[in-house]
Amino acid sequence: MFLFHNNEVLEQYDFELGFAPTGHKEVEGDGRTPEGAYFIDRKNPNSSFYLSIGISYPNAADRARARAMGKSPGGDIFIHGTPRASLNRDDWTAGCLAVKDREMEDIYAMVNVGTPIFMYA
């Protein structure tokens, strides 16, 4: 993951994704991470994970694609740290991007609501 200011890379972070198949998130529960252009739509200091910032998935195209399949697109995709409590599942990222807690502190401080985010494999 790269954090930019204009065209300058400020920071670079490794991140984890879940065990889901590759490709763009299509429907709720597929465990995939969305790909495309979104924006940061919220910050949650009281997350179930060590801090979290929300990604504006689903957008209009995501909703239309899922609706055409007769399904929900899902939502609640975040960049976050580790879980605050033990989770009873192997894939605790569930379509989100997970970073180390210390890195999440930096990201949380540097990224504002409204910041564009581009997610591509």
Side-chain angles (χ1 to χ4, degrees):
M1 174 186 338
F2 297 96
L3 293 184
F4 285 86
H5 177 61
N6 297 320
N7 291 329
E8 179 185 351
V9 175
L10 297 178
E11 295 289 342
Q12 178 179 345
Y13 302 101
D14 291 330
F15 60 92
E16 292 184 38
L17 297 175
F19 303 119
T22 58
H24 177 64
K25 181 167 191 59
E26 294 180 337
V27 297
E28 184 173 12
D30 67 8
R32 293 179 176 156
T33 302
E35 294 181 355
Y38 298 94
F39 62 91
I40 301 304
D41 64 356
R42 61 201 179 276
K43 294 173 90 168
N44 184 359
N46 300 312
S47 172
S48 297
F49 297 88
Y50 187 79
L51 300 174
S52 65
I53 55 176
I55 297 168
S56 64
Y57 175 87
N59 60 28
D62 298 321
R63 287 189 295 277
R65 185 173 27 261
R67 187 173 38 251
M69 293 186 279
K71 306 255 182 176
S72 166
D76 283 339
I77 302 297
F78 291 87
I79 300 170
H80 59 68
T82 58
R84 291 190 186 266
S86 177
L87 297 177
N88 292 328
R89 64 178 194 238
D90 290 332
D91 181 6
W92 58 272
T93 65
C96 296
L97 290 89
V99 297
K100 294 177 182 166
D101 290 350
R102 178 65 189 103
E103 295 169 341
M104 191 63 220
E105 290 176 7
D106 293 341
I107 295 166
Y108 194 90
M110 290 191 291
V111 175
N112 295 317
V113 171
T115 299
I117 181 169
F118 304 94
M119 304 185 337
Y120 296 100

PDB file of all heavy atoms in Angstrom, residues 52-78:
ATOM      1  N   SER A  52      -9.768   1.918  12.498  1.00  0.00           N
ATOM      2  CA  SER A  52     -10.188   1.554  11.140  1.00  0.00           C
ATOM      3  C   SER A  52     -10.619   2.796  10.386  1.00  0.00           C
ATOM      4  O   SER A  52     -11.089   3.768  10.978  1.00  0.00           O
ATOM      5  CB  SER A  52     -11.320   0.518  11.155  1.00  0.00           C
ATOM      6  OG  SER A  52     -12.491   1.044  11.722  1.00  0.00           O
ATOM      7  N   ILE A  53     -10.406   2.746   9.088  1.00  0.00           N
ATOM      8  CA  ILE A  53     -10.911   3.789   8.194  1.00  0.00           C
ATOM      9  C   ILE A  53     -11.715   3.105   7.097  1.00  0.00           C
ATOM     10  O   ILE A  53     -11.297   2.111   6.520  1.00  0.00           O
ATOM     11  CB  ILE A  53      -9.790   4.688   7.623  1.00  0.00           C
ATOM     12  CG1 ILE A  53      -8.700   3.899   6.919  1.00  0.00           C
ATOM     13  CG2 ILE A  53      -9.178   5.545   8.714  1.00  0.00           C
ATOM     14  CD1 ILE A  53      -7.638   4.767   6.265  1.00  0.00           C
ATOM     15  N   GLY A  54     -12.910   3.638   6.859  1.00  0.00           N
ATOM     16  CA  GLY A  54     -13.842   3.019   5.933  1.00  0.00           C
ATOM     17  C   GLY A  54     -13.597   3.398   4.489  1.00  0.00           C
ATOM     18  O   GLY A  54     -13.206   4.519   4.183  1.00  0.00           O
ATOM     19  N   ILE A  55     -13.863   2.446   3.626  1.00  0.00           N
ATOM     20  CA  ILE A  55     -13.749   2.626   2.177  1.00  0.00           C
ATOM     21  C   ILE A  55     -15.162   2.669   1.615  1.00  0.00           C
ATOM     22  O   ILE A  55     -16.026   1.896   2.017  1.00  0.00           O
ATOM     23  CB  ILE A  55     -12.926   1.477   1.575  1.00  0.00           C
ATOM     24  CG1 ILE A  55     -11.508   1.530   2.160  1.00  0.00           C
ATOM     25  CG2 ILE A  55     -12.919   1.538   0.057  1.00  0.00           C
ATOM     26  CD1 ILE A  55     -10.674   0.316   1.875  1.00  0.00           C
ATOM     27  N   SER A  56     -15.415   3.545   0.666  1.00  0.00           N
ATOM     28  CA  SER A  56     -16.763   3.836   0.176  1.00  0.00           C
ATOM     29  C   SER A  56     -17.393   2.747  -0.685  1.00  0.00           C
ATOM     30  O   SER A  56     -18.340   3.017  -1.420  1.00  0.00           O
ATOM     31  CB  SER A  56     -16.756   5.151  -0.613  1.00  0.00           C
ATOM     32  OG  SER A  56     -15.941   5.028  -1.776  1.00  0.00           O
ATOM     33  N   TYR A  57     -16.923   1.523  -0.586  1.00  0.00           N
ATOM     34  CA  TYR A  57     -17.571   0.398  -1.260  1.00  0.00           C
ATOM     35  C   TYR A  57     -18.903   0.113  -0.580  1.00  0.00           C
ATOM     36  O   TYR A  57     -18.959   0.112   0.649  1.00  0.00           O
ATOM     37  CB  TYR A  57     -16.686  -0.860  -1.195  1.00  0.00           C
ATOM     38  CG  TYR A  57     -17.362  -2.070  -1.780  1.00  0.00           C
ATOM     39  CD1 TYR A  57     -17.268  -2.336  -3.128  1.00  0.00           C
ATOM     40  CD2 TYR A  57     -18.131  -2.913  -0.991  1.00  0.00           C
ATOM     41  CE1 TYR A  57     -17.921  -3.431  -3.680  1.00  0.00           C
ATOM     42  CE2 TYR A  57     -18.785  -4.001  -1.530  1.00  0.00           C
ATOM     43  CZ  TYR A  57     -18.674  -4.256  -2.874  1.00  0.00           C
ATOM     44  OH  TYR A  57     -19.329  -5.325  -3.425  1.00  0.00           O
ATOM     45  N   PRO A  58     -19.982  -0.128  -1.314  1.00  0.00           N
ATOM     46  CA  PRO A  58     -20.097  -0.241  -2.766  1.00  0.00           C
ATOM     47  C   PRO A  58     -20.435   1.102  -3.418  1.00  0.00           C
ATOM     48  O   PRO A  58     -21.142   1.920  -2.838  1.00  0.00           O
ATOM     49  CB  PRO A  58     -21.264  -1.215  -2.936  1.00  0.00           C
ATOM     50  CG  PRO A  58     -22.155  -0.944  -1.759  1.00  0.00           C
ATOM     51  CD  PRO A  58     -21.213  -0.567  -0.637  1.00  0.00           C
ATOM     52  N   ASN A  59     -19.947   1.282  -4.633  1.00  0.00           N
ATOM     53  CA  ASN A  59     -20.348   2.453  -5.409  1.00  0.00           C
ATOM     54  C   ASN A  59     -21.534   2.051  -6.296  1.00  0.00           C
ATOM     55  O   ASN A  59     -22.019   0.914  -6.219  1.00  0.00           O
ATOM     56  CB  ASN A  59     -19.165   3.022  -6.206  1.00  0.00           C
ATOM     57  CG  ASN A  59     -18.578   2.042  -7.198  1.00  0.00           C
ATOM     58  OD1 ASN A  59     -19.268   1.159  -7.710  1.00  0.00           O
ATOM     59  ND2 ASN A  59     -17.289   2.184  -7.479  1.00  0.00           N
ATOM     60  N   ALA A  60     -22.000   2.954  -7.123  1.00  0.00           N
ATOM     61  CA  ALA A  60     -23.190   2.685  -7.955  1.00  0.00           C
ATOM     62  C   ALA A  60     -22.978   1.486  -8.872  1.00  0.00           C
ATOM     63  O   ALA A  60     -23.876   0.651  -9.035  1.00  0.00           O
ATOM     64  CB  ALA A  60     -23.552   3.929  -8.759  1.00  0.00           C
ATOM     65  N   ALA A  61     -21.790   1.366  -9.465  1.00  0.00           N
ATOM     66  CA  ALA A  61     -21.517   0.236 -10.364  1.00  0.00           C
ATOM     67  C   ALA A  61     -21.505  -1.082  -9.596  1.00  0.00           C
ATOM     68  O   ALA A  61     -22.005  -2.099 -10.090  1.00  0.00           O
ATOM     69  CB  ALA A  61     -20.189   0.450 -11.089  1.00  0.00           C
ATOM     70  N   ASP A  62     -20.951  -1.076  -8.397  1.00  0.00           N
ATOM     71  CA  ASP A  62     -20.935  -2.291  -7.563  1.00  0.00           C
ATOM     72  C   ASP A  62     -22.355  -2.719  -7.208  1.00  0.00           C
ATOM     73  O   ASP A  62     -22.687  -3.905  -7.270  1.00  0.00           O
ATOM     74  CB  ASP A  62     -20.146  -2.050  -6.270  1.00  0.00           C
ATOM     75  CG  ASP A  62     -18.684  -1.722  -6.502  1.00  0.00           C
ATOM     76  OD1 ASP A  62     -18.066  -2.329  -7.392  1.00  0.00           O
ATOM     77  OD2 ASP A  62     -18.168  -0.853  -5.767  1.00  0.00           O
ATOM     78  N   ARG A  63     -23.200  -1.756  -6.833  1.00  0.00           N
ATOM     79  CA  ARG A  63     -24.590  -2.077  -6.489  1.00  0.00           C
ATOM     80  C   ARG A  63     -25.339  -2.629  -7.693  1.00  0.00           C
ATOM     81  O   ARG A  63     -26.092  -3.609  -7.581  1.00  0.00           O
ATOM     82  CB  ARG A  63     -25.302  -0.846  -5.920  1.00  0.00           C
ATOM     83  CG  ARG A  63     -24.843  -0.505  -4.501  1.00  0.00           C
ATOM     84  CD  ARG A  63     -25.691   0.568  -3.859  1.00  0.00           C
ATOM     85  NE  ARG A  63     -25.603   1.867  -4.516  1.00  0.00           N
ATOM     86  CZ  ARG A  63     -24.647   2.757  -4.306  1.00  0.00           C
ATOM     87  NH1 ARG A  63     -23.700   2.516  -3.429  1.00  0.00           N
ATOM     88  NH2 ARG A  63     -24.654   3.900  -4.948  1.00  0.00           N
ATOM     89  N   ALA A  64     -25.132  -2.031  -8.861  1.00  0.00           N
ATOM     90  CA  ALA A  64     -25.816  -2.494 -10.074  1.00  0.00           C
ATOM     91  C   ALA A  64     -25.381  -3.906 -10.455  1.00  0.00           C
ATOM     92  O   ALA A  64     -26.207  -4.738 -10.839  1.00  0.00           O
ATOM     93  CB  ALA A  64     -25.551  -1.525 -11.228  1.00  0.00           C
ATOM     94  N   ARG A  65     -24.083  -4.186 -10.349  1.00  0.00           N
ATOM     95  CA  ARG A  65     -23.563  -5.515 -10.699  1.00  0.00           C
ATOM     96  C   ARG A  65     -24.163  -6.578  -9.778  1.00  0.00           C
ATOM     97  O   ARG A  65     -24.622  -7.627 -10.222  1.00  0.00           O
ATOM     98  CB  ARG A  65     -22.037  -5.512 -10.618  1.00  0.00           C
ATOM     99  CG  ARG A  65     -21.376  -6.799 -11.070  1.00  0.00           C
ATOM    100  CD  ARG A  65     -19.842  -6.748 -11.141  1.00  0.00           C
ATOM    101  NE  ARG A  65     -19.165  -5.827 -10.261  1.00  0.00           N
ATOM    102  CZ  ARG A  65     -18.711  -4.617 -10.617  1.00  0.00           C
ATOM    103  NH1 ARG A  65     -18.870  -4.178 -11.852  1.00  0.00           N
ATOM    104  NH2 ARG A  65     -18.076  -3.863  -9.748  1.00  0.00           N
ATOM    105  N   ALA A  66     -24.201  -6.302  -8.477  1.00  0.00           N
ATOM    106  CA  ALA A  66     -24.767  -7.267  -7.522  1.00  0.00           C
ATOM    107  C   ALA A  66     -26.268  -7.420  -7.745  1.00  0.00           C
ATOM    108  O   ALA A  66     -26.795  -8.542  -7.711  1.00  0.00           O
ATOM    109  CB  ALA A  66     -24.481  -6.816  -6.094  1.00  0.00           C
ATOM    110  N   ARG A  67     -26.961  -6.312  -7.992  1.00  0.00           N
ATOM    111  CA  ARG A  67     -28.401  -6.370  -8.221  1.00  0.00           C
ATOM    112  C   ARG A  67     -28.724  -7.231  -9.435  1.00  0.00           C
ATOM    113  O   ARG A  67     -29.685  -8.006  -9.430  1.00  0.00           O
ATOM    114  CB  ARG A  67     -28.959  -4.953  -8.393  1.00  0.00           C
ATOM    115  CG  ARG A  67     -30.464  -4.877  -8.474  1.00  0.00           C
ATOM    116  CD  ARG A  67     -31.018  -3.445  -8.468  1.00  0.00           C
ATOM    117  NE  ARG A  67     -30.236  -2.471  -9.203  1.00  0.00           N
ATOM    118  CZ  ARG A  67     -29.511  -1.488  -8.651  1.00  0.00           C
ATOM    119  NH1 ARG A  67     -29.463  -1.344  -7.344  1.00  0.00           N
ATOM    120  NH2 ARG A  67     -28.846  -0.642  -9.405  1.00  0.00           N
ATOM    121  N   ALA A  68     -27.892  -7.141 -10.488  1.00  0.00           N
ATOM    122  CA  ALA A  68     -28.093  -7.956 -11.693  1.00  0.00           C
ATOM    123  C   ALA A  68     -27.961  -9.447 -11.393  1.00  0.00           C
ATOM    124  O   ALA A  68     -28.537 -10.273 -12.102  1.00  0.00           O
ATOM    125  CB  ALA A  68     -27.098  -7.544 -12.779  1.00  0.00           C
ATOM    126  N   MET A  69     -27.233  -9.794 -10.340  1.00  0.00           N
ATOM    127  CA  MET A  69     -27.089 -11.186  -9.922  1.00  0.00           C
ATOM    128  C   MET A  69     -28.128 -11.566  -8.864  1.00  0.00           C
ATOM    129  O   MET A  69     -28.122 -12.688  -8.362  1.00  0.00           O
ATOM    130  CB  MET A  69     -25.684 -11.433  -9.366  1.00  0.00           C
ATOM    131  CG  MET A  69     -24.587 -11.321 -10.405  1.00  0.00           C
ATOM    132  SD  MET A  69     -22.965 -11.782  -9.729  1.00  0.00           S
ATOM    133  CE  MET A  69     -22.493 -10.276  -8.897  1.00  0.00           C
ATOM    134  N   GLY A  70     -28.978 -10.597  -8.490  1.00  0.00           N
ATOM    135  CA  GLY A  70     -29.975 -10.862  -7.470  1.00  0.00           C
ATOM    136  C   GLY A  70     -29.395 -10.952  -6.073  1.00  0.00           C
ATOM    137  O   GLY A  70     -29.943 -11.634  -5.206  1.00  0.00           O
ATOM    138  N   LYS A  71     -28.283 -10.275  -5.839  1.00  0.00           N
ATOM    139  CA  LYS A  71     -27.572 -10.368  -4.555  1.00  0.00           C
ATOM    140  C   LYS A  71     -27.308  -8.979  -3.984  1.00  0.00           C
ATOM    141  O   LYS A  71     -27.447  -7.976  -4.662  1.00  0.00           O
ATOM    142  CB  LYS A  71     -26.230 -11.080  -4.753  1.00  0.00           C
ATOM    143  CG  LYS A  71     -26.315 -12.424  -5.423  1.00  0.00           C
ATOM    144  CD  LYS A  71     -26.135 -13.499  -4.444  1.00  0.00           C
ATOM    145  CE  LYS A  71     -26.189 -14.837  -5.186  1.00  0.00           C
ATOM    146  NZ  LYS A  71     -25.936 -15.915  -4.329  1.00  0.00           N
ATOM    147  N   SER A  72     -26.869  -8.948  -2.739  1.00  0.00           N
ATOM    148  CA  SER A  72     -26.415  -7.721  -2.088  1.00  0.00           C
ATOM    149  C   SER A  72     -24.915  -7.559  -2.352  1.00  0.00           C
ATOM    150  O   SER A  72     -24.178  -8.542  -2.315  1.00  0.00           O
ATOM    151  CB  SER A  72     -26.651  -7.823  -0.584  1.00  0.00           C
ATOM    152  OG  SER A  72     -25.940  -6.799   0.092  1.00  0.00           O
ATOM    153  N   PRO A  73     -24.444  -6.323  -2.583  1.00  0.00           N
ATOM    154  CA  PRO A  73     -23.010  -6.131  -2.797  1.00  0.00           C
ATOM    155  C   PRO A  73     -22.192  -6.226  -1.517  1.00  0.00           C
ATOM    156  O   PRO A  73     -20.979  -6.359  -1.560  1.00  0.00           O
ATOM    157  CB  PRO A  73     -22.930  -4.720  -3.377  1.00  0.00           C
ATOM    158  CG  PRO A  73     -24.116  -4.026  -2.801  1.00  0.00           C
ATOM    159  CD  PRO A  73     -25.191  -5.082  -2.706  1.00  0.00           C
ATOM    160  N   GLY A  74     -22.851  -6.159  -0.359  1.00  0.00           N
ATOM    161  CA  GLY A  74     -22.117  -6.135   0.897  1.00  0.00           C
ATOM    162  C   GLY A  74     -21.626  -4.735   1.187  1.00  0.00           C
ATOM    163  O   GLY A  74     -22.065  -3.760   0.579  1.00  0.00           O
ATOM    164  N   GLY A  75     -20.722  -4.621   2.122  1.00  0.00           N
ATOM    165  CA  GLY A  75     -20.189  -3.318   2.512  1.00  0.00           C
ATOM    166  C   GLY A  75     -19.272  -3.462   3.697  1.00  0.00           C
ATOM    167  O   GLY A  75     -18.753  -4.537   3.982  1.00  0.00           O
ATOM    168  N   ASP A  76     -19.103  -2.384   4.427  1.00  0.00           N
ATOM    169  CA  ASP A  76     -18.224  -2.354   5.604  1.00  0.00           C
ATOM    170  C   ASP A  76     -16.826  -2.851   5.286  1.00  0.00           C
ATOM    171  O   ASP A  76     -16.271  -3.727   5.965  1.00  0.00           O
ATOM    172  CB  ASP A  76     -18.818  -3.145   6.770  1.00  0.00           C
ATOM    173  CG  ASP A  76     -19.932  -2.390   7.468  1.00  0.00           C
ATOM    174  OD1 ASP A  76     -19.979  -1.149   7.332  1.00  0.00           O
ATOM    175  OD2 ASP A  76     -20.739  -3.024   8.155  1.00  0.00           O
ATOM    176  N   ILE A  77     -16.222  -2.278   4.254  1.00  0.00           N
ATOM    177  CA  ILE A  77     -14.843  -2.588   3.894  1.00  0.00           C
ATOM    178  C   ILE A  77     -13.956  -1.505   4.515  1.00  0.00           C
ATOM    179  O   ILE A  77     -14.226  -0.312   4.365  1.00  0.00           O
ATOM    180  CB  ILE A  77     -14.667  -2.640   2.362  1.00  0.00           C
ATOM    181  CG1 ILE A  77     -15.601  -3.690   1.746  1.00  0.00           C
ATOM    182  CG2 ILE A  77     -13.209  -2.894   2.005  1.00  0.00           C
ATOM    183  CD1 ILE A  77     -15.340  -5.118   2.183  1.00  0.00           C
ATOM    184  N   PHE A  78     -12.906  -1.931   5.200  1.00  0.00           N
ATOM    185  CA  PHE A  78     -12.038  -1.014   5.932  1.00  0.00           C
ATOM    186  C   PHE A  78     -10.564  -1.334   5.708  1.00  0.00           C
ATOM    187  O   PHE A  78     -10.204  -2.445   5.342  1.00  0.00           O
ATOM    188  CB  PHE A  78     -12.292  -1.143   7.444  1.00  0.00           C
ATOM    189  CG  PHE A  78     -13.625  -0.638   7.894  1.00  0.00           C
ATOM    190  CD1 PHE A  78     -14.735  -1.470   7.884  1.00  0.00           C
ATOM    191  CD2 PHE A  78     -13.768   0.664   8.333  1.00  0.00           C
ATOM    192  CE1 PHE A  78     -15.970  -1.006   8.306  1.00  0.00           C
ATOM    193  CE2 PHE A  78     -14.994   1.134   8.762  1.00  0.00           C
ATOM    194  CZ  PHE A  78     -16.097   0.302   8.748  1.00  0.00           C
TER     195      PHE A  78
END
